[in-house]
Amino acid sequence: GLGGVESTEAGGWIIEHAKTGMMNPNHQTLISDELVALWRTIRERATALGKMPEPKPLYTPPPQDLRKKGAGAPFLPVEDFWTMINDQTQRSSGGPAFCRALARRVAAAGPEGLASFHRGLAEALDRANTWRVWGAAYLMNGGCSDDGFLYFRAWLVAMGRPVFDRVTSEPDALVNIALAKRTDGVCELEDMLYVADAAAELLGVDPPEAPLGAGEPRGERIDFEDDDVMRAAYPKLWTKMRKKKR
């Protein structure tokens, strides 16, 4: 039957144009000749019955003045790191879905945008690499290893700049934010560390080699096992998490 023709319009456009090069070259896929022939038969029958709407492109390259000069590829302008994070935070619910959407957005800016994003993420992770922030993560997550602290910092970046700035300047402020923003029960987002790799794969280029989150925490070391020290350093967070455990 032809009842589902309109619902398959988008799929037909992909089949039709993946072989002609009209799709974004970063998203082309291999389509068999048999599948193309089948689609064209369905389209001809639907057109004859007046049920086939004019197909609409799923991908529209930006105007020429938005393309990267000299590259010949339809890359979007490179965005400021925090502008991209803040905007994507508003668009996505967080977690892995946030990271997948962010990777596509980074890839849309091409290799230059990929390098800019990786630099911005490295700088943000380094800025949050302090003993005071680690102590807050320790309380919030009920413990926090070296890797766990890196994943926490990645989660903190994904919360957007207002939250990031507030927590890095006053870690006890985490008490007002984190309980409603956890991912699978903890404040961690490991996937954020692989956004650049995913974007590089979409672009067909090598991922950035610079490591993320390396280095010793700054500031005075805190004994996370000392209740008196932790209570004094994070009075609000300490009280909140102690009550939650009861």
Side-chain angles (χ1 to χ4, degrees):
L2 294 173
V5 167
E6 293 189 16
S7 66
T8 60
E9 176 193 352
W13 192 92
I14 293 173
I15 294 171
E16 182 77 14
H17 296 299
K19 299 183 73 66
T20 64
M22 289 180 66
M23 287 183 67
N24 182 341
N26 297 325
H27 301 136
Q28 285 186 19
T29 186
L30 296 176
I31 303 293
S32 70
D33 291 335
E34 291 80 4
L35 189 56
V36 172
L38 176 60
W39 163 248
R40 288 175 177 168
T41 299
I42 294 173
R43 184 187 62 185
E44 289 170 1
R45 291 180 60 196
T47 301
L49 293 174
K51 292 190 175 184
M52 190 65 189
E54 186 68 24
K56 300 178 179 62
L58 298 183
Y59 172 81
T60 303
Q64 184 65 37
D65 60 338
L66 293 182
R67 300 185 184 189
K68 186 179 176 184
K69 284 188 176 181
F75 295 135
L76 297 175
V78 176
E79 296 180 271
D80 171 74
F81 174 78
W82 282 114
T83 297
M84 184 185 302
I85 295 293
N86 292 344
D87 185 62
Q88 199 60 50
T89 298
Q90 298 298 319
R91 294 168 180 262
S92 305
S93 58
F98 169 89
C99 296
R100 288 192 295 269
L102 187 59
R104 291 192 294 269
R105 186 165 181 165
V106 171
E112 186 178 344
L114 171 60
S116 176
F117 172 84
H118 192 73
R119 275 194 310 273
L121 180 57
E123 291 169 1
L125 293 173
D126 180 67
R127 180 180 161 194
N129 190 16
T130 68
W131 281 104
R132 293 188 69 228
V133 172
W134 195 346
Y138 186 94
L139 281 177
M140 180 54 65
N141 287 340
C144 189
S145 65
D146 290 10
D147 286 344
F149 182 42
L150 177 56
Y151 305 156
F152 170 83
R153 285 181 281 155
W155 170 87
L156 188 58
V157 172
M159 291 299 98
R161 187 159 195 175
V163 171
F164 180 88
D165 286 346
R166 187 176 179 192
V167 173
T168 52
S169 63
E170 182 45 64
D172 202 27
L174 187 64
V175 69
N176 301 318
I177 302 158
L179 291 179
K181 296 287 187 176
R182 290 182 168 195
T183 301
D184 296 329
V186 293
C187 300
E188 294 182 356
L189 189 55
E190 182 182 0
D191 288 2
M192 184 70 175
L193 303 173
Y194 306 112
V195 167
D197 289 16
E201 185 175 355
L202 288 172
L203 287 167
V205 300
D206 293 333
E209 296 182 358
L212 292 171
E216 288 294 313
R218 297 183 304 280
E220 184 177 350
R221 188 184 186 100
I222 297 175
D223 184 355
F224 302 152
E225 300 296 330
D226 188 320
D227 287 353
D228 291 335
V229 169
M230 295 294 279
R231 185 188 300 110
Y234 314 97
K236 296 177 184 178
L237 193 55
W238 171 272
T239 300
K240 184 76 170 181
M241 298 313 295
R242 284 292 169 174
K243 287 182 179 178
K244 189 173 181 296
K245 288 181 179 180
R246 292 173 185 171

